Amino acid sequence: MKKILLFIAVLALSCSKDDDLSLPNTVDPDGSADVEVQDFMWKAMNFWYFWQANVDDLADDRFANTEEGSADYTAFLDSEDDPASFFENKLQYIEDRFSFYNEDYRELTNSLAGISKSNGLEFGLVQFQDSDEIFGFVRYIVPNSNASTVDIQRGDLFTGVDGQTLTIDNYIDLLFGENDTYTLNMADFENGNIVPNEAEVTLTKEEGLAENPVFLSKSFTISGENIGYIMYNQFTNEYDADLYAAVQDLKAAGITNLIMDLRYNPGGSVNTTRLLASMIYGTNTSDLFLRKRYNDKLQEQFTDSQLEVYFADEIDGETISSLGFDKLYVITSASSASASELLINSLEPYIDVIQIGDVTRGKNEFSTTLVDDRENSYLYTPSRVNNINPDNQWAIQPLIGRNENADGFYDFTSGLQPDYELKEDYSNLGIIGEENEPLLAKAIEVITGATGKRDFTVNYPVEIISSSKEYSLMSDKMVDDTVYNLEF
């Protein structure tokens, strides 16, 4: 069951008709028109969307509150038969890379809880040089998934699906289409070349696969340093207790250094990010974790206390016992996004965050789930699912703001640059969590100061064009799980 995410901030806003704040538009479409979904989308985006002022069709005065205005509004909503096309073509700002939608809010909210339809194979995709063909490499296997029951493992390569060679034009349909079962055509790495072989692996996507994002947690004692390591693959609030348990186990083991491996972490809950930061750095609730920035018409109505989020001292009612570290080592890749970047950026004013790996994705906006529950300002609230319009089950997940750290920094749309750049090498991925896995080995070297003892040359760098996680609903998401109390 999805938890109601707790108490980052409670925003109380009272407005009357004389207030400057523009409330969700009161113009309604012609009742005979089949535009219920588009009506919800427009009104929710008009109120919440971060770039509302940049989209002419979302302007507060776009439609007059008159009978004539209603006719214009209806015609506008009816300009696209498909709600998805209406969202993309009429409402979404051209520079917005990350807002999305789903015709069933349950599927979307399940994805936020780490539940999806999946075969459990997580992979990256790379394009062959000077070719339209691509190949895949296995990153990891989700435990207790279909992929965990077949003969496939990290580092394995594939070049085709169901006998068709993967290309830039067909990979989406073959790997992420309607086919729940498909067969991978495997390949070998020979003398610098990826060569198809005769091996095949058949996989089936299953409903309701729940992935615990705490993939691996362990400790090492190397050159007198006690080092903790956690591979964490999504900021999923349902697993906050598992994350805290992993940190506490490492603390009990006496670690003095922590490596957070976020190389495959596309983001997730802002509150979980705050909790993890508090577990690492400290629980002083007077230390600013982030400051929120909404669209202009909302921003000016909020007080500093409503916009500012502080470090936490409790998790699920339990007092957090922090590591109290002044350094954190973070492994990143081009797939590290959103809440992963938020963790790094929000800790930077307080501790030395040492980043190892590749440049991150560059996603500094947060979103929230909006549904057709007008009385709740379109905010999805689990306790109010019976109030969602039964004739409209669509949900949208628009970007509604940006997060600044305590120093006011937020501009990392081109990604966060590593202190020690080291790309993954698809010919030498290594085994996750083993000391000689290249990125972990580099982090250990930085901690111990044992430089020059290993050659970290990357012969075949991973330059992904896509990955399995990019086609999950949680790809590149930073979810604002603030509890709002908006009164109109």
Side-chain angles (χ1 to χ4, degrees):
M1 181 176 178
K2 185 171 178 63
K3 294 187 295 186
I4 300 176
L5 290 152
L6 299 175
F7 310 121
I8 294 184
V10 177
L11 307 185
L13 181 64
S14 298
C15 301
S16 69
K17 291 183 180 179
D18 297 325
D19 286 334
D20 292 333
L21 181 67
S22 296
L23 302 179
N25 193 277
T26 56
V27 177
D28 291 319
D30 185 328
S32 64
D34 185 19
V35 291
E36 200 162 27
V37 179
Q38 291 92 325
D39 179 45
F40 145 67
M41 287 180 168
W42 191 91
K43 288 172 177 171
M45 291 284 278
N46 164 263
F47 186 63
W48 286 106
Y49 195 36
F50 184 62
W51 289 289
Q52 184 257 342
N54 300 92
V55 180
D56 291 342
D57 281 331
L58 284 173
D60 294 332
D61 59 359
R62 175 69 172 84
F63 306 101
N65 192 10
T66 64
E67 186 173 328
E68 182 179 341
S70 179
D72 290 343
Y73 182 54
T74 303
F76 170 72
L77 299 180
D78 205 26
S79 62
E80 298 275 2
D81 292 333
D82 177 22
S85 299
F86 177 75
F87 183 90
E88 293 173 352
N89 298 333
K90 305 294 186 181
L91 308 182
Q92 194 166 4
Y93 182 46
I94 191 170
E95 294 182 15
D96 178 1
R97 298 177 291 163
F98 300 109
S99 293
F100 69 107
Y101 49 80
N102 193 282
E103 60 184 314
D104 186 344
Y105 75 87
R106 288 165 290 249
E107 183 178 357
L108 190 151
T109 55
N110 276 341
S111 73
L112 301 182
I115 301 170
S116 64
K117 187 176 186 179
S118 171
N119 56 37
L121 184 74
E122 296 295 342
F123 55 84
L125 296 168
V126 179
Q127 187 171 359
F128 286 105
Q129 189 173 7
D130 301 323
S131 172
D132 288 338
E133 295 182 5
I134 66 177
F135 67 91
F137 67 96
V138 178
R139 288 173 155 180
Y140 70 94
I141 308 294
V142 176
N144 303 313
S145 67
N146 175 254
S148 70
T149 67
V150 298
D151 185 18
I152 196 166
Q153 62 185 345
R154 174 172 168 81
D156 284 351
L157 305 171
F158 57 92
T159 55
V161 174
D162 294 332
Q164 298 184 61
T165 299
L166 285 167
T167 70
I168 200 71
D169 296 319
N170 68 16
Y171 79 89
I172 295 176
D173 287 338
L174 290 176
L175 289 167
F176 309 109
E178 297 299 319
N179 50 329
D180 287 345
T181 297
Y182 57 71
T183 298
L184 297 179
N185 307 117
M186 308 305 291
D188 295 320
F189 189 80
E190 297 178 356
N191 301 318
N193 297 307
I194 295 174
V195 181
N197 58 34
E198 299 299 317
E200 295 183 338
V201 176
T202 299
L203 297 161
T204 300
K205 298 174 186 176
E206 300 170 316
E207 292 280 3
L209 178 64
E211 177 183 352
N212 187 331
V214 185
F215 184 80
L216 181 64
S217 176
K218 63 187 300 186
S219 61
F220 312 88
T221 300
I222 302 172
S223 301
E225 296 285 351
N226 296 324
I227 302 169
Y229 170 82
I230 298 176
M231 170 162 261
Y232 187 56
N233 291 331
Q234 187 170 305
F235 288 83
T236 310
N237 69 82
E238 275 72 14
Y239 294 93
D240 288 348
D242 297 74
L243 179 59
Y244 184 52
V247 172
Q248 288 303 293
D249 286 346
L250 293 176
K251 184 177 183 178
I255 66 163
T256 53
N257 306 274
L258 178 62
I259 302 167
M260 288 298 303
D261 192 340
L262 305 178
R263 75 182 82 179
Y264 305 138
N265 191 317
S269 162
V270 170
N271 190 48
T272 296
T273 313
R274 178 186 72 133
L275 293 174
L276 177 56
S278 303
M279 296 174 206
I280 295 166
Y281 160 64
T283 58
N284 186 347
T285 56
S286 297
D287 285 338
L288 183 68
F289 178 65
L290 62 83
R291 183 178 291 104
K292 298 184 179 194
R293 181 166 297 279
Y294 295 90
N295 66 41
D296 289 343
K297 70 179 183 181
L298 291 178
Q299 187 77 12
E300 65 187 12
Q301 302 297 324
F302 297 154
T303 66
D304 286 346
S305 63
Q306 292 169 327
L307 295 170
E308 294 173 350
V309 177
Y310 294 85
F311 284 81
D313 58 3
E314 290 187 353
I315 176 171
D316 292 340
E318 180 181 353
T319 299
I320 294 174
S321 177
S322 173
L323 293 170
F325 285 174
D326 59 8
K327 281 186 181 180
L328 175 67
Y329 301 85
V330 181
I331 295 174
T332 64
S333 75
S335 295
S336 306
S338 183
S340 291
E341 295 167 307
L342 174 65
L343 180 73
I344 296 169
N345 191 50
S346 291
L347 281 174
E348 284 280 8
Y350 300 101
I351 67 175
D352 188 9
V353 182
I354 300 165
Q355 186 181 337
I356 297 144
D358 203 355
V359 182
T360 62
R361 179 90 160 105
K363 164 69 165 53
N364 59 346
E365 299 91 5
F366 58 85
S367 66
T368 198
T369 304
L370 303 178
V371 294
D372 197 354
D373 180 4
R374 184 168 182 173
E375 291 182 359
N376 198 41
S377 307
Y378 304 107
L379 292 162
Y380 171 76
T381 304
S383 62
R384 289 183 56 88
V385 293
N386 291 334
N387 298 89
I388 297 173
N389 180 356
D391 298 322
N392 175 20
Q393 302 296 290
W394 281 73
I396 58 176
Q397 190 81 19
L399 301 181
I400 65 171
R402 283 181 175 157
N403 289 320
E404 304 172 354
N405 69 12
D407 292 335
F409 180 71
Y410 65 89
D411 187 12
F412 49 88
T413 54
S414 58
L416 296 171
Q417 298 287 331
D419 299 286
Y420 298 88
E421 185 170 1
L422 183 64
K423 293 179 181 290
E424 287 196 302
D425 185 331
Y426 59 80
S427 70
N428 179 32
L429 285 176
I431 298 173
I432 289 173
E434 291 200 354
E435 294 176 29
N436 62 356
E437 184 276 309
L439 270 66
L440 176 55
K442 183 63 179 179
I444 292 171
E445 181 186 88
V446 172
I447 292 170
T448 61
T451 57
K453 292 188 176 181
R454 173 170 174 165
D455 180 6
F456 285 96
T457 301
V458 177
N459 295 305
Y460 300 94
V462 168
E463 303 282 0
I464 66 166
I465 61 165
S466 187
S467 71
S468 50
K469 289 207 171 185
E470 286 191 29
Y471 288 86
S472 72
L473 290 176
M474 272 309 297
S475 173
D476 302 330
K477 301 302 178 286
M478 180 157 54
V479 180
D480 174 31
D481 32 28
T482 298
V483 177
Y484 292 90
N485 180 17
L486 296 171
E487 299 176 358
F488 303 123

